[in-house]
Amino acid sequence: MRKNNILIFSALIIVIGAGCTKTLELEPVSSISTASFWKSEDDANGALRGMYIRLRSVTATNLYLWGESRSQNLKQSLGNDFSNLRLYNNTLDPTAAGPDWSSVYRVINDVNLVLKYLPNISFKTEADKNRSLAEAYAMRAYCYFIMAKTWGDLPLVTDPTEGYDPSVIYKERTPVADIFTQIKNDIAQGLSLFSDNSFTAGRNRWSKPALNALKGDVFLWTAKKLNGGDEDLTTALSALNDVDAADVQLLSDFGSIFDYDNKGNKEILMANNFLLNETGSTFMQNMYIDAYPPNSDPAAAAIIGAVGGASYWTLTDDTRQKFKPEDLRRTATYTELYSYDEATSAYTKFYGCIQKKFDGMINAGARIFIDDVVLYRYADVLLMKAEAQNALSQDPSDAMNQIRKRAFGSNFSGNEFVSGSKEDNDNSILEERLLEFLYEGKYWWDILRFDKAAELIPYFQSNPTDTYKYLWPLSLSILSTEPKVNQNPGYQ
């Protein structure tokens, strides 16, 4: 019965699971939605699983592109990936706008269906029912947070789309301040419904600790970007401190956090699950290697192991140089590959950087990139805590040095963080986030939150007045299928 319900829900989300995109305009209403579904706790659980499955369409590629690609810490490597070149160079326009918001609105529509129908379903326990609702509220808050940081004003959709009604489907964009009011309300609803700090197996569903991490992230953003000030900073810090009550910790081995065979470890607060024979590869395959060059350095080849994916993108020299040689995160994050140079009689001909954080697993001799996409982990909580503390004129040293003790191990002495001016501390915290979360889809949004784009990103160094590009353009496809939606300023 459980398997059948999952299959039915898969059909359901295909038929009615779109957001405010053209998919909504074309697909009919399915009788599954009310006639034979949304009747039992199994149906509700199937709907929730479908919601998380749908999230993979966001996290497999788009989350990285939205959250990190524009920070220009990578450059094109040997392969040709022209579809993303404008993202990396910050030359987006409506004709080449990058991934649009359709995949996120589909997840939101799944959430809205859950929130509409689940309250009328009987559960074995009220706690299980409340937890399911809490997960849905958390998911909607997260989805709108992603989009608000990317596009600003958004169509606000809190009811499911179940038929073709232009007056319901087509919406104007709601001001971003009101979007954040909705995000905060959803967070509050979710936190009120979680009964404890427990995690589900695998830590790949929303939980109270993960939602508190999201709350800290949201309130940091509104404190710095929407004039929330000290009040929002204090709220963020309180939420982040609440995470400490859960069963979380920094793993002693940085590299093991991301291993395929170590999913759901105690550093993870929330991850989107990818599995063999169930999902495709993530975007991380574009930063590996499909073949070794002639006369490759055997030491590096032994670390890289079986090839897979393609070498489309590699780290810039500036980014590589930010890692100190004694920083243990360096070798766990990337490997430099050199080939033999007869002129120097050594392996000194640079080939490129291969990301090692999300190198997947080997199946039948082939490398498959199906590590979980981590949305929040405890290190993120600590560094957000340091950021909030510094903004509130508190000493961020403890949180910062927890991160550095792991990063430098026996070489911690001499690499301690010592609090200085607010500006100096901010610079150190932001750089620490680069080193800690490289490839995790966060750094572009970090740069915006710290207001450092004109200082750190080459494009904006050369074009400091192009601040309209901090928001992404809307694609021509979105504009053609959403008649009430207007383009972001600067891209008309």
Side-chain angles (χ1 to χ4, degrees):
M1 181 64 183
R2 183 181 300 268
K3 182 176 180 181
N4 289 338
N5 281 333
I6 295 172
L7 292 174
I8 290 171
F9 189 75
S10 297
L12 171 64
I13 62 176
I14 291 171
V15 175
I16 62 173
C20 55
T21 66
K22 67 180 181 180
T23 310
L24 282 175
E25 304 162 29
L26 301 176
E27 295 179 349
V29 181
S30 170
S31 60
I32 296 175
S33 61
T34 55
S36 58
F37 202 75
W38 304 113
K39 300 297 184 183
S40 69
E41 185 173 344
D42 277 352
D43 290 344
N45 288 333
L48 284 167
R49 284 191 289 274
M51 178 184 76
Y52 286 106
I53 289 169
R54 181 86 77 183
L55 184 64
R56 290 173 183 156
S57 65
V58 175
T59 64
T61 293
N62 294 352
L63 186 64
Y64 173 80
L65 296 179
W66 292 324
E68 188 159 351
S69 64
R70 295 183 61 195
S71 59
Q72 289 184 279
N73 53 21
L74 284 96
K75 61 183 179 180
Q76 189 167 344
S77 187
L78 302 173
N80 293 322
D81 180 22
F82 297 122
S83 63
N84 291 310
L85 193 58
R86 287 202 177 192
L87 278 70
Y88 286 89
N89 290 336
N90 280 289
T91 56
L92 294 170
D93 62 33
T95 64
D100 64 38
W101 60 35
S102 302
S103 61
V104 191
Y105 272 111
R106 292 187 184 106
V107 180
I108 289 174
N109 199 62
D110 292 343
V111 171
N112 291 340
L113 286 164
V114 169
L115 293 177
K116 177 178 179 178
Y117 290 108
L118 190 145
N120 299 319
I121 295 174
S122 296
F123 276 63
K124 295 183 181 67
T125 70
E126 195 68 15
D128 287 345
K129 183 174 185 176
N130 286 342
R131 184 181 185 96
S132 296
L133 289 168
E135 291 181 37
Y137 280 115
M139 183 70 85
R140 189 165 68 184
Y142 179 73
C143 287
Y144 273 117
F145 186 41
I146 290 171
M147 293 194 294
K149 292 186 294 182
T150 305
W151 291 283
D153 300 348
L154 301 166
L156 180 59
V157 184
T158 56
D159 295 312
T161 302
E162 299 178 275
Y164 181 80
D165 182 349
S167 66
V168 174
I169 292 174
Y170 299 127
K171 292 182 178 291
E172 296 178 351
R173 299 171 76 179
T174 296
V176 70
D178 295 330
I179 296 295
F180 272 97
T181 297
Q182 179 66 48
I183 291 169
K184 291 176 178 180
N185 288 340
D186 281 347
I187 289 172
Q189 285 275 19
L191 288 174
S192 73
L193 290 165
F194 280 119
S195 60
D196 55 38
N197 282 311
S198 64
F199 296 94
T200 56
R203 303 195 179 201
N204 49 38
R205 295 174 65 149
W206 288 103
S207 62
K208 188 174 182 180
L211 186 51
N212 268 318
L214 172 60
K215 182 177 180 179
D217 203 357
V218 166
F219 277 82
L220 270 177
W221 185 272
T222 57
K224 293 186 167 186
K225 304 298 290 181
L226 293 175
N227 300 313
D230 285 358
E231 183 178 354
D232 281 8
L233 288 169
T234 301
T235 300
L237 184 57
S238 177
L240 296 166
N241 284 331
D242 286 345
V243 176
D244 289 332
D247 184 20
V248 294
Q249 65 181 53
L250 292 180
L251 297 194
S252 59
D253 179 4
F254 179 80
S256 69
I257 301 167
F258 316 99
D259 289 347
Y260 182 83
D261 59 1
N262 198 29
K263 294 174 184 278
N265 60 71
K266 288 191 176 184
E267 184 157 338
I268 303 299
L269 298 176
M270 172 61 185
N272 195 207
N273 191 221
F274 287 73
L275 291 171
L276 181 65
N277 299 323
E278 183 178 313
T279 61
S281 292
T282 70
F283 190 77
M284 293 301 109
Q285 69 180 340
N286 294 328
M287 290 173 276
Y288 216 73
I289 185 174
D290 54 359
Y292 288 111
N295 302 315
S296 297
D297 180 359
I303 295 171
I304 296 166
V307 298
S311 183
Y312 288 148
W313 299 102
T314 190
L315 291 179
T316 62
D317 295 342
D318 178 66
T319 302
R320 286 190 294 129
Q321 290 165 6
K322 290 183 184 298
F323 285 88
K324 294 182 178 180
E326 63 269 30
D327 189 336
L328 299 173
R329 293 172 298 193
R330 181 180 181 275
T331 55
T333 301
Y334 68 92
T335 297
E336 295 176 353
L337 181 61
Y338 296 83
S339 56
Y340 191 78
D341 188 343
E342 293 184 359
T344 61
S345 299
Y347 295 101
T348 55
K349 187 179 292 184
F350 183 66
Y351 186 76
C353 287
I354 289 85
Q355 70 85 12
K356 285 292 293 177
K357 228 178 203 181
F358 300 103
D359 56 0
M361 52 92 72
I362 308 299
N363 181 56
R367 186 173 296 279
I368 305 173
F369 297 85
I370 49 175
D371 295 305
D372 284 359
V373 174
V374 179
L375 307 187
Y376 289 104
R377 55 187 177 92
Y378 188 54
D380 203 357
V381 171
L382 289 172
L383 288 179
M384 286 193 290
K385 189 184 297 188
E387 182 180 344
Q389 288 170 331
N390 186 54
L392 289 166
S393 300
Q394 300 175 21
D395 187 352
S397 296
D398 178 67
M400 283 286 285
N401 281 323
Q402 287 187 62
I403 298 295
R404 289 199 177 180
K405 283 178 183 177
R406 178 175 67 180
F408 291 97
S410 61
N411 291 309
F412 174 62
S413 178
N415 288 296
E416 304 95 333
F417 170 82
V418 178
S419 184
S421 69
K422 265 191 176 182
E423 183 179 359
D424 287 344
N425 288 351
D426 262 358
N427 290 336
S428 294
I429 293 166
L430 179 57
E431 183 164 306
E432 203 70 40
R433 290 189 64 85
L434 168 64
L435 301 174
E436 182 74 21
F437 302 116
L438 187 61
Y439 300 121
E440 294 184 49
K442 295 179 181 287
Y443 194 52
W444 163 252
W445 289 322
D446 289 343
I447 288 173
L448 293 184
R449 195 174 63 250
F450 281 84
D451 195 23
K452 294 288 186 179
E455 179 181 334
L456 297 177
I457 297 180
Y459 176 85
F460 293 106
Q461 290 170 352
S462 302
N463 302 275
T465 62
D466 285 359
T467 55
Y468 73 92
K469 288 193 174 184
Y470 293 173
L471 292 177
W472 289 48
L474 296 177
S475 68
L476 295 178
S477 174
I478 290 295
L479 294 174
S480 66
T481 56
E482 297 292 333
K484 292 187 176 182
V485 168
N486 295 320
Q487 180 62 269
N488 271 332
Y491 290 106
Q492 292 94 338

